[in-house]
Amino acid sequence: MPAPNIDTIVSLAKRRGFVFPSSEVYGGLGSAWDYGPLGVELCNNVKQAWWRWIVYDRDDIEGIDSSIILNRLVWQYSGHEATFHDPLVDCRECKSRLRADKIEIPEDAKTTPVAELIEQKRLKCPNCGSNDLTEPRDFNMMFRTTIGAAAAEEDPTALGYLRPETAQGIFINFLNVQTAMRRKIPFGIAQIGKSFRNEITPGNFILRTREFEQMEMEYFVRPDAEHLNLVDEWVDQYLEWFRGLGISDENLKRREVPAEELAHYSKRTVDIMYRYFPERAEEERQWEELMGIAYRTDFDLRSHSSKAVDIEGMRINPDSTEDLSYFDETTKQRFYPHVIEPAAGVNRTVLALLLDAYSEKTNDKGETRVILKLSPRLAPIKAAILPLAKNKPEIVGMAKAIKRSLQPQLRAVYDDTGGIGKLYARQDEIGTPFCVTVDHQSLEDEAVTVRDRDTWEQERVKVSDLAEHLQKRLKE
Ligand code: GAP
């Protein structure tokens, strides 16, 4: 039973230290969130699981970490300066700023352009219901900044951007990685990092924010590869990966992105959708993009290359100093590799995991308890060591010593801030797979009770076997 809605997770996340509203002491900052002690662990575990899967477990992918602020020309030639915008509309009545493509369109007018519908006063502001909306205009979503101490605010030569995707840092390093690591096509380059978009309508907790983290990989293949099939192959692999993280199949689905919605660089994109809004009556409105897999052709490598020319023989990029083409030693051919790009968000993955892991169980006193059934390898804390009597120095000492001995191998905590029932409930709610209780008998038999988060079953384990026992069960 996943969480009934995102609000349930917002409240749990704040109460238990996963995610806090940012800048709260100054009234907050719209749609900005800070990750707390448990949130940062969960995010790190997701990123580590991804890195292990995509870089270590395979033999054809390298990792990099490129700058967030790049030369402005990167964004000029990537097409982001000209095309990375959303249509912005203002409501004259309540002054809301809206994304024109997200306003609800009347059933009989699905094919009419939004601008026409606004002129005909057929669209309504979702906040106040007014039909007095301005004409849509393009709003570029890249965050602008000024580079250098001496630069004046409006100096165009000092203009820079916070990256809106991690992908461009990969493309401009294609040749560096390929030559340094002596790679042959096909191979991929992966990167995890923050991206920034000045979203017009951020919202729904960590689903759409202006600052977020991406896990992107660019897979470089031959121009004559089976590109469209490769997209399907990566979609299958990612669906498998998400299921392996514990996300249930019924809350995942694929969506072929229609031609009119494709990004400027894409010939085909398939999104993996997650059911973020199970409470919505209309099935279609329950889903939102978790990640996308795009066929980016050779668009980016060609655009950033010094030698590429258009059909009239003119240089596409007079500013670049490098040719990012690839020479195939076996066929003696030179070409611009084509790219399949799986692009996932850390924050959307974390939100899907929290929603999916949420469950409730009634104890024998008839009380409802929340259990966060996170996969043990993603759980922020793997084992909580709890003394049954905190006023008994021998028990406390033994519990603390067990915590210290486990720590080098797995994330463990010691807690004595409540009665045992309350301590169990707190650990269940944050997804800790195992509680280890030290009691009076432990002093005699050098054994402890290990309690399972999901079944609440308990077993007695020798302290000398504990680390091995937990490691084994964490892998189950
Ligand atoms: N390089 C391709 C690219 O950036 P995208 O579909 O725009 O593609 C990829 O972004 C993923 O990044 C999305 O599927 C989502 O998981 C995450 N993402 C994008 N914008 C986001 C936002 N405003 N807030 C949180 N995550 C976002």
Side-chain angles (χ1 to χ4, degrees):
M1 179 197 72
N5 49 44
I6 290 181
D7 285 347
T8 308
I9 298 301
V10 177
S11 135
L12 170 78
K14 181 169 185 199
R15 191 160 30 87
R16 300 311 320 274
F18 282 92
V19 185
F20 306 123
S22 184
S23 316
E24 227 181 349
V25 294
Y26 290 110
L29 170 68
S31 298
W33 300 90
D34 295 337
Y35 288 78
L38 300 183
V40 67
E41 297 288 344
L42 180 55
C43 287
N44 284 344
N45 292 344
V46 167
K47 287 185 277 184
Q48 272 167 22
W50 184 77
W51 196 259
R52 209 166 286 141
W53 174 63
I54 211 98
V55 182
Y56 298 172
D57 292 352
R58 305 175 57 109
D59 298 317
D60 56 351
I61 297 179
E62 303 283 356
I64 63 160
D65 184 13
S66 68
S67 297
I68 286 176
I69 299 174
L70 303 172
N71 189 314
R72 178 187 168 188
L73 291 169
V74 172
W75 306 110
Q76 195 172 311
Y77 288 103
S78 69
H80 283 78
E81 270 199 348
T83 63
F84 196 63
H85 40 60
D86 275 342
L88 170 69
V89 160
D90 286 310
C91 171
R92 291 197 184 90
E93 192 66 38
C94 71
K95 312 294 175 214
S96 311
R97 313 211 95 174
L98 312 162
R99 252 181 78 172
D101 55 335
K102 296 285 174 188
I103 302 176
E104 205 169 323
I105 292 178
E107 208 41 57
D108 61 336
K110 295 278 184 209
T111 52
T112 316
V114 169
E116 253 175 60
L117 293 172
I118 289 176
E119 209 185 318
Q120 295 164 5
K121 306 243 175 258
R122 293 190 65 199
L123 293 193
K124 281 195 184 124
C125 167
N127 297 325
C128 71
S130 162
N131 57 12
D132 194 3
L133 306 176
T134 61
E135 227 177 84
R137 59 194 187 281
D138 288 339
F139 172 75
N140 194 296
M141 289 193 293
M142 282 197 290
F143 267 102
R144 295 155 71 100
T145 189
T146 308
I147 301 170
E153 275 289 299
E154 298 306 321
D155 181 355
T157 62
L159 174 62
Y161 302 101
L162 304 186
R163 65 181 176 202
E165 61 169 9
T166 58
Q168 293 304 323
I170 297 180
F171 293 124
I172 57 172
N173 277 294
F174 165 72
L175 219 51
N176 287 335
V177 176
Q178 189 260 317
T179 41
M181 309 312 285
R182 287 174 292 154
R183 281 288 181 181
K184 289 195 168 53
I185 297 279
F187 79 95
I189 305 178
Q191 166 156 235
I192 298 177
K194 290 251 173 147
S195 290
F196 303 82
R197 295 181 191 176
N198 203 357
E199 297 277 359
I200 299 170
T201 48
N204 291 312
F205 191 36
I206 53 174
L207 184 73
R208 188 176 306 282
T209 49
R210 296 193 170 102
E211 174 181 341
F212 54 96
E213 211 161 8
Q214 291 185 305
M215 305 181 281
E216 296 201 286
M217 197 273 288
E218 310 302 321
Y219 198 70
F220 301 95
V221 298
R222 289 183 55 85
D224 56 1
E226 301 268 331
H227 308 117
L228 303 185
N229 293 345
L230 284 170
V231 170
D232 290 319
E233 280 177 27
W234 278 105
V235 171
D236 289 342
Q237 292 190 54
Y238 265 86
L239 282 169
E240 193 57 39
W241 186 68
F242 286 123
R243 287 191 286 257
L245 293 184
I247 298 180
S248 41
D249 206 26
E250 67 200 40
N251 292 326
L252 290 166
K253 73 169 184 183
R254 62 187 89 203
R255 171 180 182 259
E256 185 78 40
V257 176
E260 64 277 13
E261 283 180 34
L262 290 177
H264 61 279
Y265 49 72
S266 174
K267 271 259 169 68
R268 183 188 180 203
T269 299
V270 176
D271 284 342
I272 295 184
M273 312 288 282
Y274 180 77
R275 199 192 298 271
Y276 289 103
F277 305 99
E279 76 282 13
R280 291 182 179 166
E282 225 178 298
E283 153 87 19
E284 218 183 296
R285 294 184 56 244
Q286 296 178 352
W287 304 86
E288 182 55 79
E289 175 188 332
L290 167 59
M291 70 166 298
I293 292 103
Y295 167 39
R296 282 183 90 129
T297 69
D298 58 357
F299 176 84
D300 301 271
L301 289 185
R302 198 179 270 278
S303 309
H304 290 306
S305 281
S306 58
K307 290 198 184 144
V309 290
D310 62 18
I311 39 171
E312 272 118 39
M314 303 286 282
R315 274 179 75 183
I316 293 171
N317 184 338
D319 295 304
S320 169
T321 58
E322 292 273 357
D323 182 41
L324 302 178
S325 63
Y326 169 85
F327 185 70
D328 190 326
E329 297 285 353
T330 32
T331 60
K332 305 290 176 215
Q333 283 175 317
R334 181 167 283 286
F335 54 80
Y336 292 101
H338 283 227
V339 171
I340 314 296
E341 174 196 68
V346 174
N347 320 78
R348 287 192 190 183
T349 305
V350 163
L351 181 55
L353 286 164
L354 289 171
L355 282 160
D356 227 87
Y358 183 95
S359 69
E360 289 176 1
K361 186 167 171 170
T362 308
N363 66 13
D364 44 20
K365 291 187 201 138
E367 298 158 336
T368 304
R369 294 276 180 246
V370 172
I371 309 181
L372 206 53
K373 293 190 173 178
L374 287 170
S375 153
R377 69 193 169 112
L378 297 180
I381 294 163
K382 312 297 183 202
I385 321 303
L386 316 172
L388 198 64
K390 71 170 178 184
N391 52 1
K392 208 72 176 115
E394 299 91 324
I395 292 182
V396 168
M398 186 173 176
K400 286 186 175 171
I402 291 175
K403 187 264 163 194
R404 277 196 302 275
S405 72
L406 290 175
Q407 191 51 58
Q409 297 172 65
L410 49 91
R411 176 86 171 104
V413 292
Y414 167 87
D415 191 5
D416 65 6
T417 57
I420 197 71
K422 204 170 241 170
L423 294 181
Y424 283 155
R426 277 196 213 146
Q427 295 300 329
D428 286 346
E429 209 181 8
I430 61 171
T432 306
F434 301 108
C435 285
V436 175
T437 310
V438 181
D439 53 27
H440 293 89
Q441 208 191 324
S442 306
L443 302 173
E444 315 276 307
D445 63 1
E446 283 285 312
V448 286
T449 302
V450 176
R451 172 187 176 274
D452 181 287
R453 173 196 70 195
D454 300 344
T455 61
W456 292 350
E457 274 168 17
Q458 305 194 356
E459 59 184 323
R460 203 76 184 157
V461 178
K462 282 273 174 212
V463 175
S464 54
D465 299 336
L466 184 63
E468 202 187 323
H469 174 89
L470 292 176
Q471 293 281 25
K472 199 168 130 226
R473 295 212 44 201
L474 283 167
K475 286 194 192 119
E476 274 169 9

